[in-house]
Amino acid sequence: MRKMVHVSDFEIFSNQCSTLKETSKDHHGEEELYMTDSLMEVVDFDKVKEVYAENLHLQERPKSNDALYFGKNGELTFIEFKNGTVEPYEIRRKCFDSILILTDIIGKGISYTRENVNYILVYNETTAKDFIKKKFLEKGGKEFTKYGAGYFENYCFKSVHTWTADEFESKFVRVNS
């Protein structure tokens, strides 16, 4: 059995604690928009990335997911909030860079993330076409994923979910609060 990773095990994580609400803030435009009002504690992984890059004196900054949640069951969950247009290449880059940063910090390999780390992409837009696909797949016992994120399931992450903000509230926030 693998040793669980805790926020307090790593100063870089414990110094970057925030809330889901703050990590979901849309920084584009004049108005501040949040994709969740949850005050659940998470690690602001964008800030972790900045400290990590600064310590390595990197001239070009890696990309990163918005938040890292440390579950009570020992599992970790990366969370990316996208309010508006989603570029599949950007999602892939954020996942790969975040995995590299995480595994370097905790001193574990990709087999650890494959067994203990989940990924959730939270998005606002939804179409009738997506709704139909989602319902059709659910009847077959499968989950609908968007933007190529399903590529990472069983390769880099234990599970991958692409959920609307409402689905995120009911399937993650309420379950873990």
Side-chain angles (χ1 to χ4, degrees):
M1 184 169 160
R2 296 183 185 266
K3 181 184 181 285
M4 290 191 332
V5 175
H6 301 280
V7 172
S8 59
D9 293 342
F10 302 90
E11 190 175 320
I12 194 169
F13 295 147
S14 57
N15 287 344
Q16 309 310 325
C17 289
S18 186
T19 63
L20 270 176
K21 180 178 181 175
E22 283 302 310
T23 60
S24 79
K25 187 185 328 183
D26 186 353
H27 300 284
H28 303 292
E30 295 175 19
E31 188 179 353
E32 288 185 349
L33 301 171
Y34 298 91
M35 293 188 68
T36 182
D37 289 324
S38 173
L39 299 179
M40 182 183 299
E41 187 175 284
V42 294
V43 172
D44 184 328
F45 209 75
D46 284 331
K47 288 182 180 176
V48 168
K49 171 208 51 183
E50 288 302 319
V51 171
Y52 179 85
E54 188 72 27
N55 289 343
L56 294 175
H57 309 289
L58 301 179
Q59 291 182 10
E60 184 177 335
R61 294 294 196 241
K63 301 291 183 184
S64 61
N65 292 306
D66 294 315
L68 180 62
Y69 173 74
F70 285 72
K72 294 171 184 69
N73 62 357
E75 289 187 357
L76 308 176
T77 302
F78 274 119
I79 304 165
E80 174 65 17
F81 295 98
K82 294 305 285 183
N83 184 18
T85 306
V86 179
E87 298 292 333
Y89 172 79
E90 180 186 4
I91 298 304
R92 280 183 175 235
R93 173 84 191 271
K94 286 183 174 199
C95 285
F96 280 127
D97 287 357
S98 294
I99 289 167
L100 289 172
I101 293 167
L102 175 67
T103 56
D104 190 26
I105 291 170
I106 66 173
K108 297 189 182 289
I110 194 168
S111 60
Y112 181 85
T113 67
R114 188 174 26 251
E115 294 173 14
N116 299 284
V117 182
N118 303 298
Y119 175 80
I120 302 171
L121 171 65
V122 183
Y123 62 97
N124 268 336
E125 64 185 58
T126 188
T127 64
K129 184 177 164 184
D130 288 346
F131 181 79
I132 292 166
K133 282 182 189 175
K134 189 176 285 193
K135 291 300 176 190
F136 183 74
L137 286 170
E138 284 174 2
K139 286 200 181 284
K142 295 188 179 185
E143 186 172 337
F144 175 69
T145 57
K146 292 181 71 150
Y147 312 114
Y151 168 81
F152 290 96
E153 190 165 86
N154 299 319
Y155 169 40
C156 300
F157 298 123
K158 181 176 182 178
S159 68
V160 171
H161 308 282
T162 56
W163 291 333
T164 64
D166 289 339
E167 289 172 319
F168 177 68
E169 290 295 322
S170 65
K171 295 179 179 181
F172 184 80
V173 173
R174 288 187 195 133
V175 170
N176 291 292
S177 291

